[in-house]
Amino acid sequence: MGLSGWSIGAAVIAAVVLLPILSVIWTALWPETNIWPHLVSTTLPRYLGNSLILMASVGAVTGMVGSGAAWLITRYRFPASRWLEYLLLLPLAIPAYVGAYALVDFLEYSGPVQRMLRDLFGWQTSRDYWFPEVRSMGAAVLVLSASLFPYVYLLSRAAFREQSGGAEEVARSLGRGPWRRFFSVGLPMARPAIAASVAIVMMETVNDFGTVDYFAVQTLTTGIFSVWLQSYNAGGAAQIACVILGLVVALVLLERGSRRRLRYYNLSSRHRPVEKLPLRGPKGWLACAACALPFALGFVLPGAVIASHAVGEIGAWTDPGLLRALVHTLTVCGTAALVTVLAAVFLVYGVRLSGAVLPRLLMPVTTIGYAAPGAVLAVGILLPLAAFDHRLADTLAALTGRDPGLLLTGTGFALVLAYSVRFFAIAQGATDSAMGRIAPSLPMAARSLGRNRRAVLREVHFPLIRGSLASALLLVFVDAVKELPATLLLRPFNYDTLATRVHEKASLEQLGEAAPAALMVIFVGLTAVALLARANR
């Protein structure tokens, strides 16, 4: 089958999604001003070292907490275990930067913890006692781990659930205790899922900007902001972005290499689920506390601090800036979600119709945007977009005699493009999975009745996949609402979204004014978590 409009369109969409990554690499290799030697000899080692420490620490903590909680939930019955099974997903609703603002407010000198200590022991000033530094690497690890461990918990729980109850019974019959069963049976068989989820967590860690910026931890992402916005050097920012891309690629390769030779099979013709064992008395309450603690740190604490400020600052709810930020968020994030899902449908349908090799090869590669941090994509989008804008303005000026200025750069278009590229993998995966469940006989029957390809998509595919498309639309919207690095770099001048308003107000120590916007972001996140919990029931 030759190239059709569908297959050509699919190739164009794939090229647009891949363009930012290629732009970053091109700019890094051929910068206008090469400051790479200066970066290597000065700041880059610090950025890279802090990033590696942060990624390794958060990966280790989330791996232990997430897999441990998943093991307890899937293997034992203890007080509140049925509630905790779903409550452990709620920290996904709170962005890490919101958790950072809440933790500092809770633990700082004027916060409730230190005030209580001074009242209790009669201390007068900070010189009378020692308290850990709140804004530190350790605090950043704690906040990011509390926010990201549900990724490990979710995939580990699915892996532990799929394991056969027969293996557990054999291990118990051989005298293996709970710890030995976990390390010799459960953990090895769930290792691929745990490794994949920890890799996701480490990618999200290197993507973070709000948390590390607030805690004054200089990482590669903060380096991009510093080199670009303070030194005005796009080439240097692209070179740091390439280092981040290298880390992401290394993570993916390590994760795949670690499980390349691992194969586990269920040899029984009948799969029996693992029967949960009851935990009573102190052991049961200890298991309950072990699962409740990460939920409390990741959701209850930041949620309570933000809610208390939101209730205490009633005037902040009527601030015109909050309304503008809400309208901007709904506009750009809603548009990005709609554009992303429509583009994913066009791409997947075009690839399925096409017999050409190129679109089929490009489709899996388009998911790389989800692994690339927002700051990296912002660099990759702004540079070619600005070049195109300048050329367009020069052309229009030559034709009309009037300089129109930059038409695309510094507008909502750049934000929509960034969100679409960043979260295209979500929409593409949902669409491809939904279309894969449609029997081939249905579109063939429609074609035999005289329907063209567009009519088959509208009358056959869409009614069958609209539930999956609605879920993808919501998930892309939620992720776009929470995205901070790309928004800070690409937004128009004086154009706030909910995420940037929270960041700016909290950075100025105005958490009361930031709280309403933060609460809105949390509420949006809760809708996605509810959808996720429903899908995993």
Side-chain angles (χ1 to χ4, degrees):
M1 185 183 297
L3 287 176
S4 64
W6 288 99
S7 58
I8 294 174
V12 169
I13 292 172
V16 170
V17 173
L18 293 174
L19 177 63
I21 305 297
L22 300 177
S23 171
V24 167
I25 297 173
W26 178 272
T27 306
L29 292 176
W30 292 280
E32 292 185 5
T33 304
N34 185 20
I35 64 168
W36 179 253
H38 174 72
L39 290 174
V40 171
S41 62
T42 54
T43 57
L44 187 62
R46 181 170 67 252
Y47 295 153
L48 181 59
N50 287 340
S51 296
L52 292 175
I53 292 173
L54 198 64
M55 291 166 63
S57 302
V58 174
V61 173
T62 55
M64 291 186 290
V65 172
S67 60
W71 176 263
L72 290 173
I73 289 294
T74 56
R75 291 299 188 268
Y76 299 101
R77 293 194 306 271
F78 50 87
S81 60
R82 297 185 66 180
W83 285 95
L84 287 167
E85 181 175 3
Y86 297 103
L87 292 178
L88 285 167
L89 297 173
L90 292 183
L92 284 175
I94 299 186
Y97 54 85
V98 174
Y101 309 145
L103 183 70
V104 171
D105 185 78
F106 188 67
L107 295 180
E108 67 179 350
Y109 180 78
S110 60
V113 173
Q114 294 201 48
R115 285 204 314 267
M116 181 187 69
L117 290 175
R118 290 194 296 271
D119 294 340
L120 187 62
F121 294 102
W123 295 324
Q124 298 299 320
T125 66
S126 60
R127 292 190 296 270
D128 296 334
Y129 64 99
W130 176 85
F131 197 83
E133 178 59 44
V134 179
R135 302 194 184 197
S136 62
M137 174 73 78
V141 171
L142 177 63
V143 168
L144 288 167
S145 300
S147 175
L148 299 174
F149 82 87
Y151 287 107
V152 182
Y153 165 73
L154 190 62
L155 294 183
S156 300
R157 187 185 66 172
F160 289 141
R161 275 179 172 174
E162 293 169 359
Q163 293 175 7
S164 172
E168 280 285 305
E169 293 174 2
V170 170
R172 283 201 300 270
S173 68
L174 293 174
R176 299 291 193 271
W179 287 102
R180 294 188 67 183
R181 289 201 304 273
F182 174 71
F183 284 107
S184 62
V185 179
L187 187 60
M189 296 181 69
R191 179 178 165 184
I194 296 174
S197 57
V198 169
I200 293 173
V201 166
M202 295 174 77
M203 291 178 195
E204 291 293 332
T205 300
V206 77
N207 174 57
D208 179 82
F209 173 76
T211 304
V212 293
D213 180 62
Y214 196 64
F215 286 139
V217 178
Q218 294 183 323
T219 63
L220 291 168
T221 302
T222 62
I224 291 177
F225 279 79
S226 177
V227 172
W228 193 349
L229 300 182
Q230 296 178 15
S231 301
Y232 305 103
N233 192 296
Q239 288 168 339
I240 298 178
C242 272
V243 176
I244 298 179
L245 280 178
L247 287 179
V248 170
V249 172
L251 277 175
V252 173
L253 294 178
L254 283 174
E255 184 271 325
R256 292 186 177 180
S258 68
R259 57 189 174 95
R260 180 176 299 167
R261 298 183 180 180
L262 295 178
R263 296 291 185 272
Y264 299 105
Y265 301 100
N266 181 18
L267 299 179
S268 174
S269 59
R270 295 183 179 181
H271 178 78
R272 288 188 296 109
V274 177
E275 184 178 350
K276 294 184 180 182
L277 301 176
L279 285 180
R280 298 184 178 89
K283 290 184 178 180
W285 288 108
L286 186 61
C288 176
C291 292
L293 181 61
F295 162 66
L297 290 175
F299 183 80
V300 176
L301 174 60
V305 171
I306 296 300
S308 66
H309 280 283
V311 172
E313 295 283 345
I314 300 299
W317 289 92
T318 59
D319 189 335
L322 176 63
L323 179 60
R324 286 195 299 270
L326 177 61
V327 172
H328 293 162
T329 300
L330 295 176
T331 302
V332 295
C333 297
T335 303
L338 185 61
V339 169
T340 305
V341 171
L342 290 177
V345 171
F346 196 104
L347 174 67
V348 173
Y349 190 59
V351 168
R352 288 177 176 271
L353 290 177
S354 174
V357 176
L358 182 60
R360 294 182 181 276
L361 293 177
L362 286 177
M363 191 172 80
V365 184
T366 57
T367 59
I368 194 174
Y370 194 65
V376 174
L377 291 179
V379 174
I381 286 173
L382 191 58
L383 296 177
L385 193 62
F388 173 79
D389 234 354
H390 281 293
R391 180 160 297 184
L392 179 63
D394 292 343
T395 302
L396 292 176
L399 293 176
T400 63
R402 297 178 59 184
D403 186 359
L406 300 180
L407 301 176
L408 299 177
T409 308
T411 67
F413 174 82
L415 281 180
V416 171
L417 180 59
Y419 295 153
S420 298
V421 173
R422 175 88 166 88
F423 307 115
F424 189 80
I426 298 174
Q428 189 235 73
T431 304
D432 192 36
S433 175
M435 284 192 176
R437 295 193 296 267
I438 298 176
S441 58
L442 294 178
M444 290 174 62
R447 292 301 302 273
S448 69
L449 293 173
R451 299 294 192 273
N452 59 25
R453 292 170 174 174
R454 186 183 305 172
V456 170
L457 176 63
R458 183 179 64 251
E459 299 175 15
V460 177
H461 287 85
F462 180 73
L464 295 174
I465 66 173
R466 59 185 178 186
S468 297
L469 295 185
S471 299
L473 197 69
L474 176 62
L475 290 174
V476 172
F477 176 78
V478 170
D479 280 343
V481 169
K482 297 192 294 183
E483 174 63 32
L484 181 62
T487 310
L488 286 173
L489 288 173
L490 293 174
R491 62 179 175 150
F493 178 72
N494 203 25
Y495 189 94
D496 271 339
T497 65
L498 291 176
T500 61
R501 180 177 175 84
V502 172
H503 171 71
E504 290 184 354
K505 295 296 183 182
S507 298
L508 297 172
E509 305 299 335
Q510 299 172 352
L511 194 57
E513 296 186 26
L519 212 57
M520 291 180 184
V521 173
I522 293 172
F523 177 76
V524 170
L526 283 174
T527 59
V529 172
L531 179 67
L532 185 63
R534 181 181 177 184
N536 284 273
R537 288 181 62 179

